[in-house]
Amino acid sequence: MATLDLDPAAGAFDPADLQRTLDGRYADLRARIREVMSRPEFEPPVEISREAYRALVMDWARRLAADGMTAPGFPVQYGGEGDFGANVAGFETIAFGDLSLLVKFGVQFGLFGGAVQQLGTAAHHERYLRDIASLRLPGCFAMSEAAHGSDVQNLLTTATYDRDTGEFVIDTPIDAAHKDYIGGAARDGRMAVVFAQLHVGTQSHGVHALLVPIRDEHGSVLDGVRIEDDGYKLGLNGVDNGKLWFDHVRVPRENLLDRWGGVSTDGVYSSPIENPTKRFFTMVGALVQGRVCVSGASVSAAELALTIAVRHGLRRRQFGPDPGHEVPILDYRVHQRRLLPRLARTYALHFAQAELRERFHRVMSAPEEVSDRERRELESLAAGMKATASWHATDTIQACREACGGAGYMAVNRFAALKADTDIFTTFEGDNVVLMLLLARGLLTGFAEQFTGLSPVAMASFLAGQAAEVVVERLFARKIAQVVGDWVGGDEEDLLDPAVQLALFQWREGHITASAAQRFRRHIKDGHAPFEVFRSIEDHVVDVARAHMATVQLEAFRRAVRDAPEGPVRAALSQMCALFALSEIEREKGFYQEHGRLSGPRCKAVSRRVGELCERIRARAGAYVDAFGIPDAVLRAPIALAGEER
Amino acid sequence: MATLDLDPAAGAFDPADLQRTLDGRYADLRARIREVMSRPEFEPPVEISREAYRALVMDWARRLAADGMTAPGFPVQYGGEGDFGANVAGFETIAFGDLSLLVKFGVQFGLFGGAVQQLGTAAHHERYLRDIASLRLPGCFAMSEAAHGSDVQNLLTTATYDRDTGEFVIDTPIDAAHKDYIGGAARDGRMAVVFAQLHVGTQSHGVHALLVPIRDEHGSVLDGVRIEDDGYKLGLNGVDNGKLWFDHVRVPRENLLDRWGGVSTDGVYSSPIENPTKRFFTMVGALVQGRVCVSGASVSAAELALTIAVRHGLRRRQFGPDPGHEVPILDYRVHQRRLLPRLARTYALHFAQAELRERFHRVMSAPEEVSDRERRELESLAAGMKATASWHATDTIQACREACGGAGYMAVNRFAALKADTDIFTTFEGDNVVLMLLLARGLLTGFAEQFTGLSPVAMASFLAGQAAEVVVERLFARKIAQVVGDWVGGDEEDLLDPAVQLALFQWREGHITASAAQRFRRHIKDGHAPFEVFRSIEDHVVDVARAHMATVQLEAFRRAVRDAPEGPVRAALSQMCALFALSEIEREKGFYQEHGRLSGPRCKAVSRRVGELCERIRARAGAYVDAFGIPDAVLRAPIALAGEER
């Protein structure tokens, strides 16, 4: 039996030290928000009617606004701190509290405010940002339509310029074009950023955003606007989602958010970006914050769930060598296997999120200094992280709920809301599958300048135009050079070598990417229609993105280990990083063997190592979750408190 | 590109024909219940307060009782039909409706009524069954305690015989021994079947069940009983779960359900079963119906979710070769991969459930003719099916919700309740992991007579006493003989041969079982403490159960194909069975390669076949879900109705 010599002192670390590494440079902001979330009045309701919940959430949002905590990303003169990264870090920390508040907050200050900030120009900022930050102007972000969710480029709402009056006419041309799932629409919103196809004269200029008032200051719906409540939802019932129809609603010319395209009084359209497809992706790209925030909130939700489940696993005793000696359920291998690899993945995502946040901060803080390529890389990474982290949250919260048994089913222990509220994270801000395809597109084309459309046809045609090997070489030359030779059957100790682990991740990514690109090319050459080719290998393409995101996580985790203070904290992270790497390799052992990269005995060795690492990490499991820094007053789940038995 | 010659007529079948096969011999009962569930008044509420929901559910249950549909398993003279299988089939069909009603129904007629029927004797039947079936006597099933959920053998509540008064004294000795999560306790229950350690004189006789009144006929809580509402739950809020404490509550001697152990007036304990451990497992085994029912309801819930998601996938169009030609999202390979292998697994489980139901019916209908071994096999199968089907439901409902995007998040489309209500299926009626260990115990010991305890120590000791090979041989000799030789690299067509598929399943099960047994034995021989051995290989032991359940499903599916009417129905099932088998093999490709059973190229061929089968089944996907026979009036989800676009 593989036993470990576990020196009780070995591997001990102070969770407060590890927390400092996890909190990173926004530790002060996070501490401030933790304090607010700890206040009794911010306790998430366990059971509440929809109307009362909506009112409570609006009240909470107003309190945060009164405290000036709503929009650190706005310029200082409009109530912010001019710090884009702080926007994200704040959102990540609020996510430990009520998630309807989080989403309400995100809609108002992130999506609505962010659209005005990113798509509008100085006059819009001057006129609106202050009122948005203070919540004097509650707004909506009206992008999705019933018939077009993730396919924004083809939405149907129109904004037609009327030269005679200098107004835009906003219209919902067919019923399926109504805006749907719009947060703030059903109850609180006064104004909406509406995405519509812009028509000037006989010309269409593609999707643009306009500010459209929907209610007066008394809350009455304005003429020409029709609103329906979306009704009860699976979760997030403190957010007032609704549907919006526009019947030839007129807004002044100035209401067009015209940073990327404007119309003069006499009806001349102009834009700093000539190519309409590029313009569209630039506009949408400017809204990347939403995905960065959802990714961060997903990681926080997984941290919260794991904190509850791990603490419960340490306190709850069942079975044992005999009835008088029951053991903590986290001592059972199955329980460890259920929670600890997910804990390792949460750590990996935490650090990947920190890098995403930094990259976002850099791009947004100095847009003029940033290349198109950097911007697109940010968008790809945000898409991949949002999908990866939200799927991880769904999976982890479910595992944690089950690990807490019947107690986990009681709403007071938080999984009820956590599960329900985060469920939509895999869908909103872009359906995860569509986002993974978007990321894969970037990977497969090497962000080629000539290819900026989302259309699968264009993607297929582009790829058909060059040898797959060229694409792959350009992308992975550096990485493939790092890959060690075929060490099937080599020395078992290699498995714990971080360089070997990383090489395996990179080998997988490179191999999947190359083979997907080759399939594209072969089928196109064989004369198949591009769309059919895309359709038939779509699952392979998603795997490209998945493999890439695994590498992204491991690389981020390794950099975090490298940058951590030498000593117990670095050792603790190093151990967790090994569990992450090996449990991912174990999960993909089918692939590694299929492609002759790992032998059967090596795969078995990987599984043994995962088991051993689980035992080691179990010995410090309480400290590892304490380091997430969720105060008891924020955690609130009774099964995770009263720690005397730990 | 692997394209298929899809003759539009090929593979067509009438869903009504396939439904007949799926409905099986309880088609009439199912039709009757579908009719009831279709009535407008049985519409599941989308948004309702807890108290109103509880009242509504109780009202529904009374309507079913008034219709005489509550307990077909009861003897005819007490309002039933003496048909145990009908109990299960009815439950499976009610599961298409509101799941709080389902669980309320299950608690009253299945758990409470079932305990009186199975653990009580003629006097109890005569006195109580009629009132239970009619709901004049609403009851509870008070087994789980706060500190002991799945470990029933060690629960702490006591029932002490007082010879002076001829009464039992029911007591909750410490706070952690209170009964918890008891359906019916918080609001409606008048009487509870309480599981307690039976003490007579100085002797303890282990866990027995007693009838304990908890409320009077006006609904007032009786003296000595304390009840607390469990409050708001993740789901099933139409069921009134609560906690129960007993403070020396006295009940007459006759209230002991004494089929498996009674006490005479002068305090002499007697039982038809000498061995206390065997007695305990016999009593618990008599309650197997609960697990059989949860397994069936899980399959129904998956069928409901897939019906909604597949229909939506056929109606909803997004993207496409160009904006004018959007395609149904089920045409996308990723969407197919998400839904169709789960559809295949649902079919497999449907047939495995039918076999479980039949076996249950046989054992319960003629208990005197059934061997201990058959009884234990039923219990093992029920444990494994409950765990497998409930995990499958959780996984499938989640995939379906995501596949329906934002629309799937609207409560009106049913996933909100489906997700929340079924979530606890993995925990109640025995935690899934514990159940899988229970099943594995049976598999590893070959149901040896000398081993009936659940204790891991005993299990380890038993296994140590004999060569693993002997255990394995005895269990798998027949199966292993069927396994074809090592055909790594053989002809690709073999993969579609059902015999080859089954051989792969059986080989996997045999291999995992043998190696787990060997590890047990080796570690014990090496002098490790039995509990430590158990703890360290527990995940391997769970794999034994998983592999077994995969074989169970495939065998059941194959028998269903064999027994189906020749022609289109059999062809349709045969195709679905192939998708089930190959997608399971694909999922386990890591294992098959690790153990040299399949080569890399063979695994790739498996994946190709899965992709092709998905395309074929997609062509008839609507008919495959229509065959589940869920009427639109029961389905109710708007996104799954209005089928003109299909």
Side-chain angles (χ1 to χ4, degrees):
Chain A
M1 187 165 61
T3 47
L4 293 168
D5 299 321
L6 278 182
D7 171 357
F13 60 89
D14 183 341
D17 293 338
L18 182 51
Q19 188 187 330
R20 260 188 298 281
T21 294
L22 289 166
D23 275 358
R25 72 179 175 94
Y26 291 107
D28 289 347
L29 172 70
R30 291 184 199 277
R32 245 160 53 222
I33 295 178
R34 284 178 177 123
E35 188 278 310
V36 174
M37 293 291 122
S38 294
R39 295 179 197 161
E41 66 267 29
F42 276 90
E43 177 161 3
V46 164
E47 184 179 13
I48 190 169
S49 76
R50 177 156 52 115
E51 276 315 305
Y53 198 6
R54 288 174 172 185
L56 174 64
V57 164
M58 191 63 178
D59 181 57
W60 279 337
R62 286 193 205 283
R63 283 167 191 256
L64 293 178
D67 281 359
M69 307 190 78
T70 48
F74 283 2
V76 177
Q77 66 268 40
Y78 305 127
E81 301 166 25
D83 185 336
F84 288 95
N87 250 6
V88 180
F91 198 80
E92 289 163 8
T93 315
I94 294 173
F96 292 139
D98 186 278
L99 293 175
S100 281
L101 169 61
L102 181 86
V103 171
K104 187 82 176 174
F105 185 98
V107 167
Q108 171 70 16
F109 309 109
L111 294 177
F112 176 55
V116 172
Q117 186 180 11
Q118 294 300 327
L119 307 183
T121 45
H124 301 112
H125 299 170
E126 184 56 37
R127 182 156 176 198
Y128 297 111
L129 287 187
R130 243 179 252 103
D131 287 352
I132 292 173
S134 68
L135 243 174
R136 272 188 300 273
L137 179 64
C140 312
F141 181 81
M143 183 185 262
S144 289
E145 295 179 356
H148 290 93
S150 292
D151 187 4
V152 175
Q153 208 168 0
N154 290 306
L155 47 79
L156 300 172
T157 301
T158 54
T160 308
Y161 186 61
D162 181 346
R163 200 175 144 173
D164 296 341
T165 63
E167 294 170 316
F168 288 102
V169 182
I170 316 296
D171 193 55
T172 305
I174 60 168
D175 186 65
H178 71 260
K179 300 292 177 183
D180 206 354
Y181 318 128
I182 308 303
R187 180 183 184 270
D188 298 319
R190 299 277 160 92
M191 183 173 270
V193 169
V194 175
F195 289 79
Q197 303 287 352
L198 186 72
H199 295 295
V200 184
T202 56
Q203 279 242 296
S204 172
H205 298 283
V207 171
H208 286 66
L210 302 96
L211 288 165
V212 183
I214 58 171
R215 285 190 180 84
D216 67 20
E217 54 189 13
H218 309 294
S220 299
V221 177
L222 296 174
D223 284 349
V225 178
R226 180 153 71 92
I227 301 180
E228 265 183 30
D229 197 316
D230 269 327
Y232 204 65
K233 305 188 299 285
L234 200 160
L236 297 177
N237 281 300
V239 184
D240 54 326
N241 293 78
K243 308 176 203 290
L244 291 171
W245 288 258
F246 300 98
D247 182 8
H248 299 90
V249 172
R250 291 178 166 267
V251 298
R253 194 180 60 92
E254 293 74 25
N255 283 26
L256 176 65
L257 296 173
D258 59 352
R259 179 168 171 195
W260 306 108
V263 178
S264 67
T265 40
D266 55 349
V268 178
Y269 178 83
S270 65
S271 165
I273 304 173
E274 201 65 33
N275 180 316
T277 300
K278 191 174 172 190
R279 189 192 310 135
F280 171 75
F281 281 103
T282 304
M283 286 174 55
V284 172
L287 304 173
V288 68
Q289 175 175 267
R291 288 175 187 164
V292 177
C293 282
V294 172
S295 171
S298 298
V299 177
S300 300
E303 291 174 353
L304 181 62
L306 282 162
T307 302
I308 297 168
V310 166
R311 289 195 184 172
H312 178 71
L314 293 169
R315 296 180 63 211
R316 174 83 173 174
R317 291 167 179 268
Q318 287 283 277
F319 300 102
D322 55 76
H325 293 88
E326 297 180 324
V327 306
I329 55 177
L330 197 56
D331 280 358
Y332 291 99
R333 183 59 67 86
V334 175
H335 214 76
Q336 292 171 7
R337 278 281 193 165
R338 206 177 216 184
L339 297 181
L340 302 183
R342 289 182 170 97
L343 180 62
R345 213 167 166 219
T346 304
Y347 265 84
L349 283 164
H350 185 106
F351 293 118
Q353 172 67 18
E355 294 195 353
L356 171 63
R357 190 194 323 113
E358 280 306 305
R359 194 184 283 218
F360 167 74
H361 182 74
R362 219 162 44 238
V363 169
M364 302 308 273
S365 301
E368 307 311 319
E369 293 163 28
V370 169
S371 70
D372 276 4
R373 189 194 164 104
E374 273 180 277
R375 216 184 307 278
R376 279 196 299 273
E377 282 180 351
L378 167 66
E379 290 160 26
S380 285
L381 182 63
M385 277 295 293
K386 184 272 186 183
T388 306
S390 60
W391 270 326
H392 172 69
T394 298
D395 167 69
T396 296
I397 294 165
Q398 181 64 32
C400 289
R401 200 302 287 158
E402 291 182 29
C404 292
Y409 202 63
M410 301 300 114
V412 73
N413 285 319
R414 307 237 8 218
F415 292 110
L418 260 180
K419 258 191 73 161
D421 295 343
T422 60
D423 182 87
I424 198 65
F425 287 13
T426 58
T427 300
F428 70 12
E429 288 293 313
D431 178 88
N432 277 4
V433 171
V434 175
L435 294 184
M436 290 300 258
L437 291 170
L438 183 71
L439 167 61
R441 177 183 67 112
L443 296 168
L444 286 167
T445 59
F447 310 105
E449 286 299 329
Q450 63 268 55
F451 178 68
T452 45
L454 185 63
S455 140
V457 183
M459 168 152 57
S461 311
F462 172 77
L463 282 162
Q466 51 189 291
E469 292 75 8
V470 175
V471 177
V472 172
E473 248 171 51
R474 200 172 64 227
L475 279 173
F476 294 96
R478 185 185 55 81
K479 290 179 176 178
I480 285 172
Q482 294 169 7
V483 173
V484 297
D486 185 6
W487 42 277
V488 165
D491 178 24
E492 187 167 321
E493 284 317 295
D494 283 350
L495 289 171
L496 289 176
D497 179 346
V500 169
Q501 293 160 1
L502 181 60
L504 278 167
F505 276 56
Q506 290 172 333
W507 189 87
R508 175 160 184 263
E509 183 188 350
H511 194 287
I512 293 180
T513 310
S515 62
Q518 273 165 340
R519 279 179 73 191
F520 249 130
R521 184 160 167 269
R522 194 171 65 241
H523 295 328
I524 294 291
K525 253 175 114 177
D526 289 352
H528 293 284
F531 180 73
E532 273 307 303
V533 174
F534 168 76
R535 211 181 60 72
S536 76
I537 73 162
E538 194 199 15
D539 48 341
H540 197 159
V541 171
V542 169
D543 279 346
V544 170
R546 272 188 226 277
H548 176 71
M549 289 311 300
T551 312
V552 164
Q553 289 171 70
L554 183 57
E555 287 179 338
F557 206 155
R558 288 191 65 193
R559 282 188 284 268
V561 172
R562 184 195 65 198
D563 297 343
E566 225 183 309
V569 166
R570 194 186 293 172
L573 285 178
S574 176
Q575 185 164 264
M576 191 62 88
C577 188
L579 177 58
F580 168 70
L582 291 178
S583 57
E584 293 290 309
I585 292 167
E586 184 187 37
R587 187 155 67 164
E588 299 300 340
K589 68 182 183 180
F591 171 87
Y592 285 111
Q593 295 179 89
E594 205 167 81
H595 297 88
R597 190 67 187 77
L598 289 179
S599 68
R602 298 281 295 164
C603 287
K604 288 185 190 170
V606 168
S607 293
R608 269 199 307 279
R609 287 293 183 206
V610 170
E612 288 166 13
L613 284 163
C614 281
E615 289 280 338
R616 281 188 191 278
I617 282 170
R618 179 258 167 271
R620 307 282 165 222
Y624 275 112
V625 296
D626 288 351
F628 291 141
I630 308 172
D632 282 1
V634 175
L635 199 63
R636 291 188 170 97
I639 50 168
L641 304 181
E644 69 278 0
E645 289 173 74
R646 282 160 57 209
Chain B
M1 187 165 63
T3 46
L4 293 168
D5 300 321
L6 277 182
D7 171 357
F13 59 90
D14 184 340
D17 293 337
L18 181 51
Q19 186 186 331
R20 259 188 297 282
T21 294
L22 289 166
D23 276 357
R25 73 180 174 94
Y26 291 106
D28 289 347
L29 172 69
R30 292 184 199 275
R32 244 161 53 222
I33 295 178
R34 284 177 176 123
E35 187 278 310
V36 173
M37 292 291 122
S38 295
R39 295 179 197 162
E41 66 267 30
F42 276 90
E43 177 160 6
V46 163
E47 184 179 14
I48 189 169
S49 75
R50 178 156 50 114
E51 277 314 304
Y53 198 7
R54 287 174 173 186
L56 175 63
V57 165
M58 190 62 178
D59 181 57
W60 279 337
R62 287 193 205 282
R63 282 168 192 255
L64 293 178
D67 281 0
M69 305 189 81
T70 49
F74 283 1
V76 177
Q77 66 268 39
Y78 304 128
E81 302 165 25
D83 185 337
F84 289 94
N87 251 5
V88 180
F91 198 80
E92 289 163 7
T93 314
I94 294 172
F96 292 139
D98 186 278
L99 295 174
S100 282
L101 169 61
L102 181 86
V103 171
K104 186 81 178 173
F105 184 97
V107 166
Q108 171 70 17
F109 310 109
L111 294 177
F112 175 57
V116 172
Q117 186 180 13
Q118 294 299 327
L119 307 183
T121 44
H124 300 112
H125 298 171
E126 184 58 35
R127 184 157 173 198
Y128 297 112
L129 286 186
R130 244 178 251 104
D131 287 351
I132 292 172
S134 68
L135 243 175
R136 273 188 301 273
L137 179 63
C140 311
F141 181 81
M143 182 185 263
S144 290
E145 296 180 357
H148 291 92
S150 293
D151 187 3
V152 174
Q153 207 168 2
N154 289 306
L155 48 80
L156 300 171
T157 301
T158 54
T160 308
Y161 186 61
D162 180 345
R163 200 176 141 172
D164 295 340
T165 62
E167 293 169 318
F168 288 102
V169 182
I170 315 296
D171 194 55
T172 305
I174 60 170
D175 185 65
H178 71 259
K179 300 292 178 184
D180 206 354
Y181 318 127
I182 308 302
R187 180 184 185 269
D188 298 320
R190 299 277 159 93
M191 183 173 269
V193 170
V194 175
F195 288 79
Q197 302 287 353
L198 186 71
H199 296 296
V200 184
T202 57
Q203 280 243 298
S204 172
H205 298 282
V207 172
H208 286 67
L210 302 97
L211 288 166
V212 184
I214 57 170
R215 284 189 180 85
D216 66 20
E217 55 191 12
H218 308 295
S220 299
V221 177
L222 296 174
D223 284 348
V225 178
R226 181 154 71 90
I227 301 180
E228 265 182 30
D229 198 317
D230 270 327
Y232 205 65
K233 305 188 301 283
L234 199 159
L236 296 177
N237 281 301
V239 183
D240 54 327
N241 294 77
K243 307 176 204 292
L244 291 171
W245 288 258
F246 300 99
D247 182 8
H248 299 92
V249 172
R250 291 178 167 267
V251 299
R253 194 181 60 93
E254 294 73 26
N255 283 25
L256 176 66
L257 296 173
D258 59 351
R259 178 168 171 195
W260 306 108
V263 177
S264 67
T265 40
D266 53 349
V268 177
Y269 178 84
S270 65
S271 165
I273 304 173
E274 202 65 33
N275 181 315
T277 301
K278 189 173 174 190
R279 189 191 310 135
F280 170 76
F281 282 103
T282 304
M283 286 174 56
V284 172
L287 304 173
V288 67
Q289 177 177 266
R291 288 174 187 164
V292 177
C293 283
V294 172
S295 172
S298 298
V299 177
S300 299
E303 291 174 353
L304 180 61
L306 282 163
T307 302
I308 298 168
V310 166
R311 289 195 185 171
H312 178 72
L314 293 169
R315 295 180 63 209
R316 174 84 172 171
R317 291 167 179 268
Q318 288 281 277
F319 300 102
D322 55 78
H325 293 89
E326 297 180 324
V327 305
I329 55 177
L330 197 55
D331 280 358
Y332 290 100
R333 183 59 67 86
V334 175
H335 214 77
Q336 292 172 7
R337 278 281 193 164
R338 207 177 216 184
L339 296 181
L340 302 183
R342 289 181 170 97
L343 181 61
R345 216 170 162 217
T346 303
Y347 265 85
L349 282 164
H350 185 105
F351 293 120
Q353 171 68 17
E355 294 195 355
L356 171 63
R357 189 195 323 115
E358 279 307 305
R359 194 184 284 216
F360 167 76
H361 181 74
R362 217 162 45 236
V363 168
M364 301 309 270
S365 301
E368 307 311 318
E369 294 164 26
V370 168
S371 70
D372 276 4
R373 189 194 164 104
E374 273 180 278
R375 216 184 308 277
R376 278 196 300 274
E377 282 181 350
L378 167 65
E379 289 160 27
S380 285
L381 181 63
M385 276 295 292
K386 183 270 188 186
T388 306
S390 59
W391 270 325
H392 172 69
T394 298
D395 167 70
T396 297
I397 294 165
Q398 181 64 33
C400 290
R401 200 302 286 158
E402 291 181 28
C404 294
Y409 202 63
M410 302 300 115
V412 73
N413 285 319
R414 307 234 14 213
F415 293 110
L418 260 180
K419 257 191 75 160
D421 295 342
T422 60
D423 181 87
I424 198 65
F425 287 13
T426 59
T427 299
F428 71 10
E429 287 293 311
D431 178 88
N432 277 4
V433 171
V434 176
L435 293 184
M436 290 300 258
L437 291 170
L438 183 71
L439 167 61
R441 176 183 68 111
L443 296 168
L444 286 166
T445 58
F447 310 106
E449 286 299 329
Q450 62 269 55
F451 178 69
T452 45
L454 184 64
S455 140
V457 184
M459 170 153 52
S461 312
F462 172 78
L463 282 162
Q466 52 189 291
E469 293 76 8
V470 175
V471 178
V472 173
E473 247 170 51
R474 199 172 64 227
L475 280 172
F476 294 97
R478 185 187 53 80
K479 290 180 177 176
I480 286 172
Q482 295 171 4
V483 174
V484 296
D486 185 6
W487 41 279
V488 166
D491 178 23
E492 186 168 322
E493 284 316 295
D494 283 350
L495 289 171
L496 289 175
D497 178 346
V500 170
Q501 294 161 1
L502 181 60
L504 279 166
F505 276 56
Q506 290 173 335
W507 190 87
R508 175 161 183 263
E509 182 187 352
H511 194 287
I512 293 181
T513 309
S515 62
Q518 273 165 342
R519 278 179 74 191
F520 249 130
R521 185 163 165 266
R522 193 171 66 241
H523 295 328
I524 293 289
K525 253 176 116 177
D526 288 351
H528 292 284
F531 180 72
E532 274 307 304
V533 174
F534 168 76
R535 210 180 59 74
S536 74
I537 72 162
E538 195 199 13
D539 48 341
H540 196 157
V541 172
V542 169
D543 279 347
V544 170
R546 272 190 227 277
H548 176 72
M549 289 312 299
T551 312
V552 164
Q553 289 171 69
L554 182 57
E555 288 179 338
F557 206 154
R558 288 190 65 194
R559 281 187 285 266
V561 172
R562 185 195 64 199
D563 297 343
E566 225 183 310
V569 166
R570 193 186 293 172
L573 286 177
S574 176
Q575 185 164 263
M576 190 62 89
C577 188
L579 177 58
F580 168 70
L582 292 178
S583 57
E584 292 289 310
I585 291 167
E586 184 187 37
R587 184 155 70 165
E588 299 300 340
K589 68 183 182 179
F591 171 87
Y592 285 111
Q593 294 178 91
E594 206 167 82
H595 298 87
R597 190 66 188 78
L598 288 180
S599 67
R602 300 280 296 163
C603 287
K604 289 184 190 171
V606 169
S607 293
R608 270 198 306 278
R609 288 291 183 208
V610 170
E612 289 165 12
L613 284 163
C614 281
E615 290 278 338
R616 280 186 192 278
I617 284 170
R618 178 260 168 271
R620 307 281 165 225
Y624 275 112
V625 296
D626 288 351
F628 291 141
I630 308 173
D632 283 0
V634 175
L635 199 63
R636 291 188 169 98
I639 50 168
L641 304 180
E644 68 279 359
E645 289 173 72
R646 282 160 56 209

